[in-house]
Amino acid sequence: MPVLLDLRGANSSDVQIGISPISELQACLHALAEPDHHLEHRAWLVRTDEALSPDLRARLTRFAPLWARRRCRLLLPLSSPLDTDVDAEIERLSRLPERDFVEAAAYTIQGGDFDPRQAVSRPREFIAACEARSFSRGELARSLVDDPEEFRAVLMRTLTDCVGEFFAEEWERIHDRLREEADQTRSRLRGLPLAELISSVSPAAQPVQGGRAVRFDKLQNLTVALRGNSTLLVPTIHGRPHLIIRGEAGFPVVVHYPVAWHSQPASIDEMQQRLTILSDPARLALCRHLVNEAITTSDLARRMNMTRPQVSRHLARLRAAGVLTSERSGRYVYHRVDVQKLMQMGVELLRAIVR
């Protein structure tokens, strides 16, 4: 059940890459609510959870369905620009029309196969659907329906208190790493076709349909058309390992993709994924060409007797494995294997095995 981004009619100019503190805050809240999913941040999670004030802890428990498996669209960028501060992003919530706010919150609170417009048109049925999921979801749904503006005010106050109690300090710590990732991805946009650029942010993605779409391997069946809409690529540290893709009407498409700290060793699963990518015979053959010189996609296609889309798909997988660099020179983009990264994989594999 894949997620498919339909790129037909989309332009690279519609894609923005940047950081979003409210998205990272939501990732932190999800990790605090589901710590078993985020063992690599266990020390930070334990320390932060123990320091929470009782009042904030109670409100986080109340609102927990908003950052459960589905994640709330309200706590991802509501509009561009990216790279703003968390107070500005929280303030955007106050300007969102009430109906849009209610439907976005309702979709996440119910968390199943549900038309969020029912929260406005048929509120009793919406509440019953949430109660069927859990008592806490039912209570949260009732408070949303009974007084949407009070619900919004308490949520915004809760987010602001999170910033004061723990997130401002954590954002200061991770901000530079996220900005570096965004800058690197932005530089790739200048030299890569749109399908390759989007697929480069995750090993779970690959260009398909001759570069007219990108397929994400997720337990979700969704097709999102990018034509006529802006697309925001936003890196996350605390969201790792989850990849979140959202494409609701009226909001920008968001790809919230996980990245690691520089010093953080790869997991055994990540190493297995990279080795699987490199073990493909066609990719190994490409690497033999790319290790000695920088080559264009067209030239590789000619040498390998492949089509350009076939070569592009293989290059995207090599880039996902972290061993390919691409640079533009004039009208052409040249690819080359990063020998140092390839050698480092041996060290990382040993670390993953003995850890």
Side-chain angles (χ1 to χ4, degrees):
M1 297 192 298
V3 174
L4 197 71
L5 298 187
D6 184 350
L7 308 185
R8 291 175 298 177
N11 300 308
S12 296
S13 59
D14 296 326
V15 178
Q16 300 179 45
I17 304 105
I19 58 177
S20 166
I22 198 170
S23 301
E24 195 65 20
L25 174 54
Q26 174 166 225
C28 290
L29 294 175
H30 170 78
L32 285 166
E34 302 284 351
D36 291 343
H37 296 180
H38 303 270
L39 295 178
E40 64 192 72
H41 296 298
R42 181 168 181 80
W44 180 84
L45 291 170
V46 171
R47 185 171 65 254
T48 301
D49 182 71
E50 290 177 348
L52 290 175
S53 65
D55 178 58
L56 179 56
R57 184 189 302 276
R59 281 178 282 148
L60 292 182
T61 300
R62 175 193 176 196
F63 285 112
L66 289 179
W67 38 82
R69 181 180 64 87
R70 180 166 281 183
R71 310 293 197 286
C72 188
R73 185 60 187 82
L74 299 171
L75 305 184
L76 294 168
L78 298 176
S79 61
S80 56
L82 295 170
D83 301 325
T84 186
D85 61 62
V86 67
D87 292 334
E89 289 199 297
I90 293 174
E91 199 273 332
R92 286 176 185 171
L93 282 174
S94 68
R95 302 198 303 269
L96 195 67
E98 182 177 293
R99 187 182 187 97
D100 294 341
F101 177 89
V102 170
E103 290 182 358
Y107 180 73
T108 307
I109 294 171
Q110 202 281 328
D113 185 13
F114 164 75
D115 183 351
R117 291 174 295 184
Q118 292 184 10
V120 176
S121 61
R122 293 186 286 181
R124 291 184 182 276
E125 293 182 23
F126 161 63
I127 293 172
C130 293
E131 289 175 337
R133 295 291 312 280
S134 70
F135 176 81
S136 61
R137 288 179 185 268
E139 288 298 296
L140 195 59
R142 191 180 303 279
S143 65
L144 175 66
V145 169
D146 287 347
D147 194 339
E149 287 309 314
E150 173 64 14
F151 183 103
R152 185 187 334 220
V154 176
L155 175 61
M156 292 178 62
R157 187 169 73 251
T158 299
L159 298 175
T160 300
D161 288 348
C162 286
V163 173
E165 290 201 15
F166 66 86
F167 183 71
E169 180 181 357
E170 182 63 4
W171 182 246
E172 181 67 23
R173 185 175 75 92
I174 66 178
H175 171 274
D176 288 347
R177 171 67 185 102
L178 290 173
R179 183 173 293 282
E180 177 187 42
E181 172 65 28
D183 289 343
Q184 291 175 354
T185 305
R186 193 179 297 114
S187 69
R188 291 199 298 266
L189 178 61
R190 293 196 294 268
L192 292 177
L194 183 57
E196 290 187 35
L197 178 279
I198 293 178
S199 63
S200 74
V201 303
S202 171
Q206 61 177 323
V208 294
Q209 300 176 14
R212 295 188 297 275
V214 173
R215 181 186 187 275
F216 289 85
D217 184 17
K218 287 181 60 65
L219 295 177
Q220 185 180 2
N221 193 11
L222 175 68
T223 297
V224 179
L226 303 193
R227 182 177 183 178
N229 202 354
S230 60
T231 301
L232 309 179
L233 304 182
V234 181
T236 174
I237 287 174
H238 283 279
R240 179 181 167 93
H242 303 303
L243 171 74
I244 305 300
I245 304 171
R246 301 299 291 270
E248 292 92 335
F251 296 101
V253 176
V254 172
V255 179
H256 199 216
Y257 64 96
V259 299
W261 284 103
H262 290 305
S263 60
Q264 185 173 4
S267 69
I268 193 68
D269 288 340
E270 289 171 323
M271 289 307 307
Q272 183 177 7
Q273 197 169 44
R274 293 180 193 175
L275 293 173
T276 298
I277 290 172
L278 289 169
S279 67
D280 180 88
R283 291 178 201 132
L284 282 175
L286 284 171
C287 285
R288 295 187 66 187
H289 289 279
L290 293 166
V291 76
N292 294 313
E293 60 178 318
I295 309 174
T296 66
T297 302
S298 296
D299 195 11
L300 284 168
R302 179 182 56 79
R303 296 187 189 191
M304 298 290 295
N305 195 27
M306 292 181 179
T307 65
R308 290 187 77 257
Q310 286 174 326
V311 172
S312 292
R313 285 194 289 271
H314 286 305
L315 292 176
R317 301 301 288 161
L318 291 173
R319 188 174 296 107
V323 299
L324 187 75
T325 62
S326 301
E327 293 185 3
R328 175 174 290 278
S329 178
R331 295 169 48 217
Y332 300 101
V333 178
Y334 291 86
H335 312 285
R336 187 164 189 170
V337 164
D338 188 327
V339 176
Q340 292 300 317
K341 293 285 184 65
L342 199 59
M343 294 175 64
Q344 183 64 25
M345 282 184 64
V347 177
E348 291 182 3
L349 176 61
L350 180 60
R351 287 175 178 169
I353 290 173
V354 302
R355 188 166 65 241

